[in-house]
């Protein structure tokens, strides 16, 4: 019935948007959204394609381990590969130093061999694990076909210097911005240089803010200032072709404010370290030795739709493929007797949902 | 389309199958408004949700209901703090309601309240936000007065899509938000409008005295609470709704709050409501 009426709303599908599929690093998603890659192929897959343009991603840090940096580095490196403008802010005095730690993309030749290897490896796995590998093959073949949407990054190899030259990278120290106004202005001028949503998207920007409410920053005690900063950054990003990722230590903000931040986030993730010698957990999960940490997906962006995205699992283990590139895997419960299975599940320090256990299978 | 499909939610809110007979159900209909003329009492619906389960789909349902063709005298005044117009346009289009057209015919009056500027930028940041709220209230008042003129009596619903973000725009001064609410409530009482507010319950659960939350709960005739199942989220049950409907006291003094609880599953073009365990 809506089709019979003249289309006079602000939204109308523009035919020229079809051409954006040619823009490397951008992918059309459902409901008129456009995704850009998080830099981790597995995370893209979990989130249904990546981070949608115009969304705010928040990552809750673990106080003990810098796993959020892994996510940020891959996110930024992916942006560099696609020649997208970047803005990075951190509480460090010299935030540019971060660029030296960005991982290098694995060259496509190596990449193919990696795919091949892992596929072989997968077929060798035992039968009860096979379910999660469904549909993975065709994704791999798609990736080989076109210009790559998501690269693999070698965490051991820093990015070549020449890759950084000539790119639009803005670095801001949070310490220079005592009342957040400077940071806001930097963000808004950064976003202003990216062409707006006018049907034809040519480029997309990435904003990363690391350890947003760290105590080094002067504004870290001004909860409402931080809230309104996040709120106004969100509305800025919403109307431009960009994704903003903010990581923050959740223990430093009061529970009320934490909830407000979580509501503001379109996509909400949290990372957690795995303790080195947790015998109980080691007994419970297969591949515990290879795990770097755990990633929880609390909320998946829901832009232009009211349907929530319910994931099969919300906890994933962060692993290294061939000791160099990041990957995420569902947790596999080790085949032990069920009686010991209930003993774990009390340490959900950064898990939002208190009703479900810290781990779900 | 399933325009008049009667759901458990409609039932719990006191709606009837055919939305056209508003007068009859006006007595205990939470959102029917006072169709008989001005001077009715305000109806307030409070939707409470949490990070895990969003309650925004209830707003969409109520917008669609108010703007349906068999309720031609309804007007929705919408204050959007959380999402841009295109978001609502797309969602409601899928539900079978073109808010773009309704916006032009002035049945859907949309106020973009997304934070355009960081309030700390100028020295008058907070004052500016306050002025903006006042300005919006002035507009709402004008709209309501215009719509309630004797020649065209209309049912007006004022909707606020995220009250906690309104607090953020005024930098945490919940008194200003409360003032705004009371103005709206007074206006609604005077002209017999309805007020629908979406609020996040978990934001206030760790506060000592969440005066905003408590005052809203006190004023509300209907409280709808959206929460996840105790066992977590599932693909076929997206959560549960608890509807507290206080609208059933019929002047006898013994107020009966009706409490209904049911599960729901949100889809693109409709929402399924069902009692726990009743799905095959």
């Amino acid at each position: 019935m809506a089709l019979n009426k003249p289309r006079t709303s602000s939204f109308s599908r523009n035919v020229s948007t079809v051409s954006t599929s040619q823009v490397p690093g951008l992918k059309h998603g459902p409901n008129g959204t456009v995704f850009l890659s998080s830099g981790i192929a597995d995370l893209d897959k979990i989130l249904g394609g990546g981070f949608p343009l115009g969304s705010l991603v928040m990552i809750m840090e673990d106080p003990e381990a810098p796993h959020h940096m892994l996510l940020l580095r891959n996110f930024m490196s992916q942006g560099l590969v696609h020649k997208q403008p970047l803005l990075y802010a951190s509480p460090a005095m010299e935030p540019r130093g971060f660029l030296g730690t960005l991982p290098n993309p694995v060259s496509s030749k190596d990449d193919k061999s990696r795919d091949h290897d892992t596929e072989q490896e997968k077929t060798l796995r035992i039968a009860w694990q096979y379910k999660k590998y469904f549909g993975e093959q065709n994704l791999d073949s798609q990736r080989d076909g076109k210009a790559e949407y998501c690269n693999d990054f070698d965490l051991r190899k820093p990015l070549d210097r020449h890759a950084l030259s000539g790119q639009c990278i803005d670095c801001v120290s949070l310490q220079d911005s005592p009342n957040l106004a400077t940071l806001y202005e930097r963000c808004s001028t950064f976003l202003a240089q990216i062409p707006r949503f006018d049907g034809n998207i040519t480029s997309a920007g990435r904003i990363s803010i690391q350890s947003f409410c760290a105590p080094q920053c002067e504004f870290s005690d001004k909860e409402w200032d931080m809230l309104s900063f996040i709120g106004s950054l969100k509305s800025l990003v919403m109307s431009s072709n960009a994704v903003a990722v903010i990581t923050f230590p959740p223990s430093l903000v009061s529970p009320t404010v934490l909830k407000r931040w979580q509501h503001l986030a379109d996509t909400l993730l949290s990372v957690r370290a795995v303790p080195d010698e947790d015998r109980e957990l080691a007994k419970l999960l297969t591949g515990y030795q290879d795990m770097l940490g755990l990633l929880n997906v609390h909320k998946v962006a829901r832009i232009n739709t009211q349907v929530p995205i319910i994931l099969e699992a919300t906890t994933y283990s962060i692993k290294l493929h061939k000791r160099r590139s990041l990957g995420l895997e569902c947790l596999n419960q080790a085949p032990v007797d069920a009686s010991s299975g209930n003993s774990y599940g009390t340490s959900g320090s950064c898990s939002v949902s208190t009703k479900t256990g810290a781990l779900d299978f | 389309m399933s325009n008049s499909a009667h759901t458990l939610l409609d039932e719990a809110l006191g709606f009837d199958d055919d939305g056209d007979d508003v007068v009859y159900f006006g007595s205990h209909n939470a959102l029917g408004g006072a169709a008989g003329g001005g001077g009715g009492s305000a109806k307030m619906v409070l939707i409470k949700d949490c990070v895990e389960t969003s309650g925004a789909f209830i707003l969409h349902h109520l917008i669609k209901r108010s703007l349906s063709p068999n309720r031609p005298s309804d007007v929705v005044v919408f204050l959007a703090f959380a999402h841009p117009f295109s978001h609502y346009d797309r969602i409601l289009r899928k539900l079978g309601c073109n808010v773009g057209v309704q916006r032009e015919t002035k049945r859907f009056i949309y106020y973009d309240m997304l934070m355009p500027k960081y309030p700390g930028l100028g020295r008058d940041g907070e004052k500016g936000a306050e002025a903006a709220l006042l300005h919006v209230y002035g507009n709402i008042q004008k709209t309501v007065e215009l719509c309630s003129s004797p020649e065209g009596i209309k049912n007006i619903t004022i909707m606020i899509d995220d009250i906690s973000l309104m607090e953020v725009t005024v930098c945490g001064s919940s008194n200003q938000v409360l003032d705004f609410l009371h103005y709206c409530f007074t206006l609604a009482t005077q002209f017999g409008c309805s007020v629908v507010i979406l609020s996040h319950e978990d934001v206030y659960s760790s506060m000592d005295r969440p005066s905003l939350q408590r005052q809203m709960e006190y004023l509300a005739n209907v409280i709808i609470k959206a929460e996840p199942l105790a066992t977590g989220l599932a693909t076929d049950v997206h959560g549960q709704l608890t509807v507290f409907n206080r609208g059933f006291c019929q002047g006898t003094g013994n107020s009966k709050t009706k409490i209904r609880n049911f599960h729901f599953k949100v889809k693109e073009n409709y929402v399924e409501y069902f009692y726990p365990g009743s799905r095959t």
Side-chain angles (χ1 to χ4, degrees):
Chain A
M1 67 183 248
L3 288 173
N4 298 336
K5 292 176 182 167
R7 296 202 160 194
T8 46
S9 71
S10 65
F11 176 82
S12 58
R13 187 175 265 280
N14 199 330
V15 190
S16 60
T17 47
V18 181
S19 64
T20 47
S21 59
Q22 308 304 322
V23 178
L26 297 176
K27 188 162 90 175
H28 279 282
N31 307 310
T33 51
V34 178
F35 288 119
L36 58 71
S37 171
S38 64
I40 303 171
D42 292 334
L43 185 59
D44 288 350
K45 212 184 327 162
I46 291 165
L47 298 176
F51 298 142
L53 285 188
S55 72
L56 173 70
V57 181
M58 297 195 77
I59 301 172
M60 294 190 274
E61 300 172 5
D62 184 294
E64 286 162 27
H67 290 322
H68 58 277
M69 294 304 281
L70 295 175
L71 300 182
L72 276 186
R73 283 193 191 114
N74 274 36
F75 176 70
M76 296 296 269
S77 274
Q78 188 64 66
L80 280 177
V81 169
H82 293 313
K83 306 228 178 315
Q84 289 160 343
L86 306 176
L87 184 139
Y88 174 75
S90 87
M93 286 306 277
E94 283 295 327
R96 260 206 125 71
F98 168 80
L99 299 176
T101 66
L102 292 179
N104 202 38
V106 178
S107 65
S108 57
K109 202 176 72 186
D110 293 351
D111 193 39
K112 271 195 190 120
S113 69
R114 182 231 136 173
D115 278 353
H116 187 65
D117 281 356
T118 44
E119 254 161 55
Q120 260 192 347
E121 199 180 296
K122 280 166 195 167
T123 49
L124 287 175
R125 297 241 176 157
I126 39 176
W128 56 268
Q129 286 186 328
Y130 73 92
K131 192 182 157 213
K132 63 184 172 140
Y133 298 115
F134 268 127
E136 206 160 14
Q137 258 109 357
N138 57 23
L139 190 120
D140 280 340
S141 60
Q142 259 177 12
R143 212 168 46 175
D144 286 340
K146 247 193 283 176
E148 276 181 63
Y149 170 68
C150 177
N151 294 76
D152 273 320
F153 292 95
D154 192 339
L155 295 184
R156 295 172 306 180
K157 237 194 258 172
L159 200 65
D160 288 338
R161 280 274 156 212
H162 67 82
L164 294 174
S165 59
Q167 295 240 20
C168 167
I169 308 169
D170 217 351
C171 288
V172 187
S173 171
L174 294 180
Q175 296 194 28
D176 297 343
S177 183
N179 62 353
L180 281 166
T182 334
L183 181 61
Y184 177 81
E185 268 170 2
R186 291 290 285 272
C187 290
S188 84
T189 43
F190 171 78
L191 290 172
Q193 67 187 3
I194 304 166
R196 297 267 153 154
F197 253 141
D198 54 352
N200 206 354
I201 303 163
T202 47
S203 182
R206 296 172 183 236
I207 295 181
S208 308
I209 301 176
Q210 183 223 323
S211 306
F212 180 59
C213 57
Q216 297 97 302
C217 320
E218 260 180 69
F219 54 80
S220 62
D221 56 337
K222 295 175 188 147
E223 292 185 326
W224 287 104
D225 282 4
M226 291 195 285
L227 257 170
S228 43
F229 172 78
I230 298 175
S232 42
L233 178 67
K234 188 183 174 181
S235 3
L236 262 187
V237 168
M238 215 182 263
S239 57
S240 50
N241 300 326
V243 173
V245 177
I246 301 180
T247 75
F248 66 97
S251 51
L252 291 185
V253 286
S254 69
T256 334
V257 174
L258 179 62
K259 281 289 171 202
R260 285 183 195 267
W261 286 20
Q262 291 176 348
H263 276 289
L264 274 169
D266 288 305
T267 302
L268 181 66
L269 310 171
S270 71
V271 284
R272 210 149 23 115
V274 286
D276 258 349
E277 292 284 321
D278 190 336
R279 294 245 173 83
E280 229 171 311
L281 195 61
K283 227 191 308 175
L284 207 64
L285 303 169
T286 56
Y288 179 75
Q289 284 73 27
D290 319 328
M291 270 187 210
L292 285 180
L294 298 170
L295 176 103
N296 268 67
V297 182
H298 301 286
K299 210 162 137 185
V300 183
R302 216 195 286 190
I303 291 178
N304 295 344
T305 179
Q306 60 172 356
V307 181
I309 295 162
I310 310 282
L311 301 170
E312 254 182 56
T314 54
T315 310
Y316 297 87
S317 58
I318 307 171
K319 288 186 176 172
L320 281 184
H321 288 307
K322 295 187 84 183
R323 288 208 233 144
R324 62 176 193 202
S325 55
L326 273 187
L328 299 173
E329 269 181 28
C330 288
L331 294 179
N332 293 311
Q333 196 165 10
V336 286
D337 55 335
S339 57
S340 68
N342 301 328
S343 53
Y344 191 80
T346 45
S347 73
S349 60
C350 57
S351 129
V352 174
S353 148
T354 49
K355 283 167 183 161
T356 54
L359 306 170
D360 50 356
F361 300 101
Chain B
M1 275 193 204
S2 55
N3 243 343
S4 60
H6 195 52
T7 61
L8 278 177
L9 178 65
D10 291 333
E11 205 177 290
L13 290 172
F15 290 149
D16 183 65
D17 287 64
D18 350 283
D20 47 11
D21 200 354
V22 193
V23 184
Y24 176 68
F25 289 95
S27 58
H28 63 106
N29 181 344
L31 285 170
S41 63
K43 311 286 191 312
M44 179 153 151
V45 178
L46 175 65
I47 304 165
K48 300 196 289 187
D49 69 357
C50 52
V51 175
E52 295 82 19
T53 311
S54 163
F57 70 93
I58 304 168
L59 277 185
H60 307 150
H61 176 84
L62 295 177
I63 296 174
K64 185 199 165 186
R65 196 191 142 77
S66 292
L67 297 180
S68 74
N70 45 15
R71 300 171 68 91
S73 63
D74 276 26
V75 172
V76 176
V77 178
F78 196 88
L79 272 69
F81 286 89
H83 298 287
F85 182 77
S86 60
H87 175 86
Y88 290 105
D89 185 37
R90 267 210 110 113
I91 287 175
L92 281 149
R93 200 175 279 249
K94 279 180 274 193
L95 289 171
C97 171
N98 192 336
V99 284
V101 171
Q102 307 281 17
R103 196 181 181 185
E104 281 187 1
T105 56
K106 302 263 190 282
R107 284 190 61 200
F108 184 73
I109 298 157
Y110 178 89
Y111 290 106
D112 189 333
M113 304 292 289
L114 298 173
M115 279 195 270
K117 259 194 173 171
Y118 176 59
L121 259 187
R123 201 159 292 160
D124 58 347
E126 205 168 316
K127 290 254 170 61
E130 192 183 343
L133 269 192
L134 265 177
H135 181 69
V136 168
Y137 175 74
N139 284 340
I140 294 174
Q141 192 180 16
K142 256 183 248 160
T143 312
V144 170
E145 279 169 359
L146 201 72
C147 292
S148 306
S149 58
E151 56 266 27
I153 296 161
K154 288 186 170 152
N155 300 314
I156 302 156
T157 309
I158 303 167
M159 290 193 185
I160 301 173
D161 79 347
D162 195 336
I163 197 90
S164 73
L165 283 176
M166 188 192 272
E167 280 182 284
V168 176
T169 49
V170 292
C171 292
S173 151
S174 55
N175 281 339
Q176 284 182 29
V177 178
L178 276 174
D179 285 350
F180 183 84
L181 266 187
H182 287 289
Y183 285 145
C184 280
F185 196 76
T186 316
L187 189 74
T189 315
Q190 196 182 343
F191 292 97
C193 317
S194 320
V195 182
V196 180
I197 293 172
L198 177 69
S199 166
H200 302 308
E201 191 181 25
D202 46 2
V203 167
Y204 304 97
S205 59
S206 55
M207 277 163 87
D208 288 341
R209 269 184 65 241
S211 55
L212 177 64
Q213 177 84 354
R214 287 191 189 166
Q215 294 208 25
M216 283 191 298
E217 279 173 18
Y218 179 79
L219 292 175
N221 304 78
V222 178
I223 300 173
I224 307 172
K225 204 167 136 182
E227 50 193 347
L229 297 183
T231 48
L233 299 175
T235 42
D236 47 356
V237 183
H238 289 167
Q240 58 180 328
L241 286 184
T242 315
V243 182
F244 303 86
N245 196 340
R246 298 195 190 127
F248 283 90
C249 62
Q250 261 118 27
T252 49
N254 50 345
S255 155
K256 277 184 197 149
T257 303
K258 275 207 171 185
I259 303 176
R260 302 274 190 106
N261 179 285
F262 43 86
H263 292 174
F264 64 88
K265 181 182 180 179
V266 184
K267 295 187 173 176
E268 290 288 2
N269 52 355
Y270 69 106
V271 183
E272 276 177 43
Y273 302 97
F274 45 89
Y275 288 117
S278 68
R279 288 226 315 186
T280 48

